[in-house]
Amino acid sequence: MMLIEAMVSILLLLLGILGIAGLTAKSMALSGQAQYRTEAGIYAAQIIQLVSLSVDRSSASTLAQSLKAFEHQPDGTERCAYSGTELSETSELGKVLKAARGADTANPGLGLPGATESGQQVVVNTGNDLNQVTVRLCWQGPSDTAKRIYEIQAFVH
């Protein structure tokens, strides 16, 4: 009887240890995903800040016109497959977008994993003096089955 109690105790202890190991592995995977979401948020906020600081606010029409200059691949309705006018990679905004996809040779190893140029979009809506800027950044981490997207919207006035 004592031997059976000892074996049941060992079995329960092993189940507890296996459960903790499984939770640890899952938390490590979620931690990596959180890191990529945070990085995407930092890149997107940097883009919004760059646009906001670089526009000409002398009049409403010049503000709208200068905002339109920041559009990057504004076309495409399919998720993470954008197209249209591209920004020069030598412009300040182009450099941030290049860094976000890990294509900056000056800082290798940085950027979002699996990010491509067609997965980056900056859309400007100036209708009705809205001056809305939407930034979308897509990436696919090593353990992701589908592309992830980070989207941020800001109003520039």
Side-chain angles (χ1 to χ4, degrees):
M1 191 58 126
M2 201 175 201
L3 187 59
I4 292 173
E5 285 179 12
M7 289 185 68
V8 168
S9 298
I10 290 172
L11 179 65
L12 289 174
L13 181 66
L14 283 175
L15 286 174
I17 291 172
L18 287 175
I20 291 172
L23 287 175
T24 302
K26 184 70 174 175
S27 71
M28 294 290 283
L30 292 174
S31 174
Q33 291 174 9
Q35 176 187 353
Y36 298 138
R37 283 192 301 271
T38 301
E39 287 179 25
I42 290 169
Y43 284 120
Q46 189 176 5
I47 290 168
I48 293 290
Q49 184 178 23
L50 185 62
V51 170
S52 180
L53 292 174
S54 302
V55 294
D56 182 0
R57 291 183 169 86
S58 58
S59 70
S61 62
T62 57
L63 175 61
Q65 187 178 9
S66 65
L67 278 173
K68 282 291 188 184
F70 289 100
E71 280 196 318
H72 176 69
Q73 303 193 106
D75 304 325
T77 56
E78 189 175 330
R79 184 176 191 244
C80 297
Y82 310 116
S83 61
T85 308
E86 296 178 7
L87 289 170
S88 168
E89 288 189 351
T90 58
S91 70
E92 291 302 313
L93 185 54
K95 289 176 185 176
V96 175
L97 290 168
K98 187 176 179 180
R101 66 177 180 271
D104 186 6
T105 55
N107 296 309
L110 297 179
L112 299 168
T116 62
E117 192 167 2
S118 65
Q120 297 175 324
Q121 185 180 49
V122 179
V123 179
V124 176
N125 179 3
T126 58
N128 297 327
D129 292 328
L130 191 60
N131 298 331
Q132 179 183 23
V133 179
T134 303
V135 177
R136 293 181 185 97
L137 300 175
C138 298
W139 75 94
Q140 188 167 0
S143 62
D144 293 338
T145 56
K147 289 194 177 212
R148 296 184 179 270
I149 185 169
Y150 187 93
E151 181 176 321
I152 188 172
Q153 294 179 348
F155 297 92
V156 180
H157 295 284

